[in-house]
Amino acid sequence: MSKLIEAVRGGRTDDVVTIVNGMTAAERRGELPALKALRKEFRDAWVTPQLQAASPALLVAGVAGQSGAAAVASWLTASGWERMWVAEKRFIPMLEERPAEWLTELAHRIAERLRQSPYLRPMVAGLFTAGGTGQALNSGHSNKDNPWLLALARLTAEGTLDRATMVDGCLGRLLRGGTAVDQRVSHRLLLDLDLSAEEHAGRVADWRALAADALQPVAVHVQSVLAELALTGSLPTHDLADMTRAVLTRPEKNLVRAQLKLLDTVVTRDTATADALLPAASHALTHEDTEAQERALKLIERHGTHLTDAASREEILTSAAPIAPGLRTRVVEALGTGAEEALQAAGEDTLPPVPSPVALASPPASVAETAEETGALLASHGILPVADFERTLDGLVRWAHEDRAALLEALEPVAATRWWSRTCRRPLPDDSVPSAFAPSHVRFTPRLALDLVLAGLHQRITPRTAKAVLDGGGAHAGCLPDGPFRARFWEIAHRLLTDPQPFLLSTPSWDNGLLEPGELTDRLKTYQRLGAHVGACDFAQALLRVRTTDRAAAEAAAERAALLGTPEGRRLADWLRTGGLTGTVLHRAVTDRTTPVVRSGEITALHMFPLAFRELGSPALGSHHRCWCAATAAVQQTHWPALLPEHPELIALRLIQHVLPCARYPEKDPDVCSVLPLLAQSPGASGPATSLVVAGGLGVQRQEDRIAAVDALLLLAAQKKLDPGALATDLGALMLIGIVAPSRLAESLGTAASTGAYRTVWTVLRDALPPLLSKDLSPAESRGLGELLTVAAECAERTGAQGVIPGLDPIAARRGSSRLVSQARRLRAALAGT
């Protein structure tokens, strides 16, 4: 074996460069047969770390050994090269030494090979779904004259690339969002493709969606496309109205004003469109741009006489309800007789409907159905619904007990895609299992939980390892509420390895996590009949889920459970008769005179539970101090309320230290508030922990999290579970100590009010503002207070509230016309009824 081949096999790319630099051209060519044989050997072998390291070295050696441009092109464009980016840094300097004519020929040959490749179309289509392609295509080029994008457009124009695929790929990338550079590159390519009027007209739904959410440059282009379609009669009026409502929610003044101008032109041309377009235009009456408000009002005044539909008039009146009294009067005058009474009727709060709990469907009826649903959950992206997840999990346990061999056979396609199956066909080394499934820094998501169960089912974990982790509490995650979640799955994995259960006791009856007491009693009776061993974690989770608030059902089930004569039956009977965790009380307190905290004492009812579950009963403190335990994620948070469906306060308590710091640290726990709407819908009562965590959520830095907190606020109000006074106290305290910024709170409460909850928001602001207004604030501390007073003034005007806000008069009496002063005057006038 030559030194060159030895260096290639060893993956020593730098040594390869040194060796070939010391060889003559003839000596390099002499190594080609051995290099080609090595290439075939590598291509036929399994991908291993050794092969991955050797592949770049082989690529460099082959480039050095070839003399002709055609041969080098063939070598470079062959398939199967591993880690090509490592080799580029070594072989590109070699190529730069070649003559310019040779390099030109090489470039043309590579390009021609790519043009003729059967993989060109799918490869280009992948540009629109792969991450980071926008940055790669844009690197070193101006967006307008980007050669990569021009080349893609030219290949599309000549028919080498499919035009529909390219257009749909650009639009799909823009619709999915992503980084700004990805969207700019996709938009530039879309412009270079130069769509025809017919192509524009065929994708109206996409343009409408982009008008609402795309980056401003993209939205400006989309607006011009839709405007052209509208003016040529190619855009249905209802589509123009829907697009208008979307555009008028955007903050960009140029987009809003241009849209109103377009509507004026369209309605002037065809007055029959007034019933569809004027209600859409009325949404600008509450826009933050006063010029847009005035334009919308003039549009209604100019064309209001053309309205014929009562529903259209009602929508305009609803939009006008929160605006200043003087502007409302102009709307009433434009709409004519009867508008005043309708406007007053529109003043009641509109709160969202609360979703009703949905019963879990029966477990999968076959191994094929179980395998199909398991694969679908593992392959899906985003949040896994509790109902689907629990039903599939129960199916895996049931069929593993009923017909393990058939289940394993049905799961073969699923298992083949999982990392623990591809690694080896034997159990994973004991010391590697905890690092793969159980460390506290890993987000123990439902998908990871399913992987753990499947790895146990396929005996990729030893019983000794599963037992060791389970005895340690399931590698619980400190202050996070997913310790019981982890422990439950380690127990399932251990039972699959040693003593499969006939089914799970803890599978909920409803998608909110509740388990009916009679159903749990029936399951224990079946376990008794089968002589099955009850799992400690499974039974503990079942007890925490069982409904105790329906006292009649609980007493009836307790009597039946006691008659079973088993330890679990007696324990369930006692649990139901005593109300389980009923009586658990959390207390709101204040530290350092200003900082709100929530405390819980020790919950003795959990002393007899497994280790991971006992943590839920330990004394806990929820405050603004940052928690450094494992990061949370929306995919795992979704399942936390279902751990304790009747006691959401215990979940909220442990979320406080994750939510409140997000007002200061935007990188901390993204999507941390996604669980709040689910907590709000929990069947259990809300209290001080829920109030404080929602208050913090309304002021966090990420807009998506603030919207989730707004949803929780509205859901609590809709169920009459909101304590406005407690929420106001928490918000006032959090603003005073600088955790919640008034500007972000104004945006959150403004969003809540705009849904129709003006009275709810007013009752909160009425008590939250005085502590802030009465304090001598610095300019930095008062930043955003004007925006908060704007929301308060709108709510007061909308609800007809009257009274006095302590601390408001001195601010309203100041000189000047800053937003803070002008909105203080506006609020004072509204409360005085003037």
Side-chain angles (χ1 to χ4, degrees):
M1 182 185 302
S2 68
K3 290 184 178 180
L4 178 62
I5 299 301
E6 184 179 351
V8 169
R9 283 192 175 277
R12 304 193 303 275
T13 308
D14 290 335
D15 289 350
V16 168
V17 174
T18 301
I19 292 171
V20 297
N21 284 340
M23 299 171 70
T24 65
E27 289 172 335
R28 293 180 182 179
R29 287 194 298 273
E31 296 283 358
L32 279 176
L35 292 174
K36 291 179 179 178
L38 199 57
R39 169 69 178 140
K40 184 179 185 304
E41 178 186 334
F42 284 2
R43 183 182 290 140
D44 295 339
W46 287 97
V47 176
T48 63
Q50 293 77 15
L51 186 149
Q52 289 180 329
S55 185
L58 177 58
L59 182 58
V60 171
V63 169
Q66 313 280 355
S67 58
V72 172
S74 177
W75 186 263
L76 289 175
T77 56
S79 62
W81 289 116
E82 296 286 337
R83 301 174 64 192
M84 190 170 188
W85 66 91
V86 177
E88 289 175 356
K89 300 176 182 178
R90 275 71 173 195
F91 72 71
I92 287 180
M94 295 179 179
L95 297 179
E96 290 174 344
E97 298 173 357
R98 306 290 181 102
E101 295 81 4
W102 189 94
L103 290 173
T104 301
E105 182 184 354
L106 175 65
H108 281 290
R109 287 183 177 275
I110 291 177
E112 191 59 34
R113 284 176 185 274
L114 292 175
R115 182 191 295 270
Q116 296 175 356
S117 171
Y119 303 109
L120 176 62
R121 288 192 175 191
M123 180 178 68
V124 172
L127 293 175
F128 300 111
T129 56
T133 54
Q135 183 65 46
L137 292 175
N138 205 49
S139 179
H141 305 292
S142 68
N143 198 37
K144 187 174 182 180
D145 299 317
N146 188 312
W148 289 106
L149 304 184
L150 293 173
L152 290 172
R154 187 162 55 248
L155 289 170
T156 304
E158 69 185 29
T160 303
L161 296 176
D162 181 66
R163 184 171 182 82
T165 299
M166 296 298 289
V167 174
D168 290 341
C170 291
L171 288 173
R173 190 79 183 206
L174 293 173
L175 288 167
R176 288 192 301 274
T179 65
V181 67
D182 280 342
Q183 294 197 57
R184 285 198 302 269
V185 167
S186 296
H187 181 225
R188 183 67 252 175
L189 179 55
L190 192 65
L191 294 176
D192 291 338
L193 290 173
D194 191 21
L195 273 63
S196 65
E198 291 76 14
E199 288 174 315
H200 284 150
R203 292 173 169 82
V204 168
D206 293 336
W207 304 127
R208 281 171 43 196
L210 290 173
D213 300 320
L215 292 177
Q216 182 177 6
V218 180
V220 170
H221 168 232
V222 168
Q223 187 181 51
S224 67
V225 169
L226 290 172
E228 183 178 355
L229 293 175
L231 295 175
T232 58
S234 301
L235 182 68
T237 302
H238 66 87
D239 283 329
L240 177 57
D242 289 344
M243 171 253 191
T244 296
R245 290 183 177 88
V247 170
L248 296 185
T249 63
R250 300 183 64 110
E252 298 93 345
K253 298 177 182 179
N254 60 326
L255 285 169
V256 173
R257 295 177 184 181
Q259 191 67 23
L260 293 171
K261 182 178 180 181
L262 171 64
L263 295 188
D264 191 19
T265 302
V266 173
V267 178
T268 300
R269 288 184 177 185
D270 182 3
T271 58
T273 62
D275 279 321
L277 300 183
L278 291 189
S282 69
H283 287 249
L285 291 171
T286 54
H287 197 274
E288 61 182 14
D289 178 26
T290 56
E291 175 63 24
Q293 296 175 14
E294 184 64 24
R295 291 191 181 195
L297 186 53
K298 288 182 177 179
L299 188 61
I300 294 170
E301 290 175 328
R302 188 177 302 120
H303 302 290
T305 56
H306 302 306
L307 291 169
T308 61
D309 184 17
S312 299
R313 291 162 56 86
E314 183 177 350
E315 183 175 348
I316 295 173
L317 292 170
T318 300
S319 299
I323 65 178
L327 299 180
R328 286 208 307 264
T329 300
R330 290 173 60 184
V331 173
V332 169
E333 292 173 350
L335 297 183
T337 307
E340 179 101 31
E341 293 76 10
L343 188 60
Q344 293 174 353
E348 299 301 321
D349 261 9
T350 302
L351 296 170
V354 181
S356 300
V358 177
L360 258 67
S362 301
S366 65
V367 292
E369 184 181 350
T370 302
E372 181 180 354
E373 294 187 6
T374 303
L377 289 178
L378 289 171
S380 64
H381 298 284
I383 293 172
L384 301 184
V386 170
D388 295 344
F389 177 78
E390 291 284 353
R391 177 176 178 271
T392 302
L393 177 66
D394 189 41
L396 285 169
V397 172
R398 286 174 181 270
W399 285 106
H401 180 271
E402 182 75 19
D403 193 341
R404 186 189 192 102
L407 179 61
L408 289 173
E409 182 180 356
L411 285 170
E412 279 185 4
V414 177
T417 67
R418 312 314 297 169
W419 62 269
W420 46 263
S421 177
R422 295 196 301 266
T423 303
C424 63
R425 294 293 177 183
R426 299 183 300 277
L428 299 171
D430 286 349
D431 58 355
S432 73
V433 172
S435 64
F437 289 109
S440 60
H441 66 275
V442 166
R443 293 176 172 179
F444 195 76
T445 64
R447 288 185 184 82
L448 185 58
L450 279 180
D451 265 321
L452 174 59
V453 170
L454 290 177
L457 180 64
H458 287 79
Q459 298 183 327
R460 296 297 194 275
I461 302 172
T462 65
R464 179 180 59 185
T465 300
K467 184 69 164 56
V469 176
L470 186 59
D471 288 345
H476 48 280
C479 64
L480 288 174
D482 70 341
F485 187 75
R486 292 171 179 258
R488 182 183 177 216
F489 288 96
W490 278 102
E491 181 182 83
I492 292 172
H494 181 256
R495 291 292 298 271
L496 288 172
L497 290 163
T498 58
D499 179 21
Q501 301 159 267
F503 51 82
L504 292 175
L505 295 171
S506 54
T507 302
S509 307
W510 304 91
D511 63 345
N512 59 12
L514 273 180
L515 172 56
E516 294 300 335
E519 190 170 351
L520 178 55
T521 303
D522 290 340
R523 292 175 186 176
L524 284 177
K525 186 175 182 179
T526 302
Y527 260 61
Q528 182 186 40
R529 177 173 57 81
L530 296 175
H533 171 63
V534 174
C537 292
D538 186 29
F539 186 54
Q541 179 62 88
L543 290 180
L544 293 179
R545 282 178 168 169
V546 71
R547 187 196 296 270
T548 62
T549 52
D550 184 343
R551 296 310 304 157
E555 291 292 344
E559 185 175 348
R560 291 177 53 218
L563 292 176
L564 294 176
T566 63
E568 291 78 18
R570 290 190 292 271
R571 190 173 172 194
L572 173 58
D574 290 342
W575 184 267
L576 292 173
R577 285 167 178 162
T578 58
L581 297 182
T582 300
T584 300
V585 178
L586 279 67
H587 301 279
R588 186 185 184 279
V590 175
T591 62
D592 302 329
R593 297 184 180 180
T594 57
T595 305
V597 299
V598 176
R599 300 179 185 275
S600 74
E602 189 169 8
I603 304 175
T604 58
L606 292 174
H607 282 181
M608 299 301 293
F609 278 59
L611 175 61
F613 290 80
R614 270 179 259 156
E615 289 185 350
L616 295 173
S618 301
L621 174 70
S623 74
H624 71 286
H625 293 294
R626 193 173 186 182
C627 181
W628 293 98
C629 59
T632 63
V635 290
Q636 64 186 136
Q637 291 177 27
T638 307
H639 292 251
W640 290 346
L643 297 174
L644 291 158
E646 287 192 332
H647 300 280
E649 282 284 275
L650 292 177
I651 302 297
L653 176 66
R654 286 156 176 79
L655 284 172
I656 291 173
Q657 291 190 167
H658 294 271
V659 172
L660 265 60
C662 291
R664 292 177 173 173
Y665 307 100
E667 79 286 354
K668 176 68 176 168
D669 291 355
D671 298 322
V672 71
C673 292
S674 60
V675 69
L676 297 186
L678 294 174
L679 278 179
Q681 296 175 53
S682 292
S686 299
T690 300
S691 174
L692 184 54
V693 79
V694 170
L698 294 171
V700 297
Q701 294 203 22
R702 293 184 74 249
Q703 184 182 30
E704 296 89 342
D705 281 323
R706 293 200 299 274
I707 291 174
V710 169
D711 290 341
L713 167 68
L714 296 175
L715 286 166
L716 288 170
Q719 301 170 89
K720 302 188 183 307
K721 293 165 64 174
L722 178 69
D723 184 342
L727 182 60
T729 301
D730 289 331
L731 286 172
L734 293 176
M735 285 191 287
L736 280 176
I737 62 177
I739 291 180
V740 169
S743 58
R744 290 198 289 269
L745 180 60
E747 182 180 338
S748 297
L749 293 183
T751 300
S754 67
T755 66
Y758 294 97
R759 195 172 302 280
T760 298
V761 173
W762 169 248
T763 57
V764 173
L765 281 176
R766 178 188 60 200
D767 297 329
L769 283 172
L772 205 61
L773 297 177
S774 302
K775 185 181 177 183
D776 186 16
L777 300 175
S778 67
E781 290 175 322
S782 63
R783 187 177 298 116
L785 187 53
E787 287 85 345
L788 197 57
L789 289 179
T790 299
V791 177
E794 290 177 350
C795 291
E797 291 169 352
R798 173 67 177 82
T799 60
Q802 295 186 0
V804 176
I805 298 292
L808 181 64
D809 285 347
I811 297 176
R814 293 177 186 175
R815 294 182 178 180
S817 57
S818 67
R819 184 165 192 173
L820 175 61
V821 174
S822 63
Q823 293 304 312
R825 293 170 183 163
R826 176 187 172 191
L827 177 56
R828 183 176 63 177
L831 294 175
T834 59

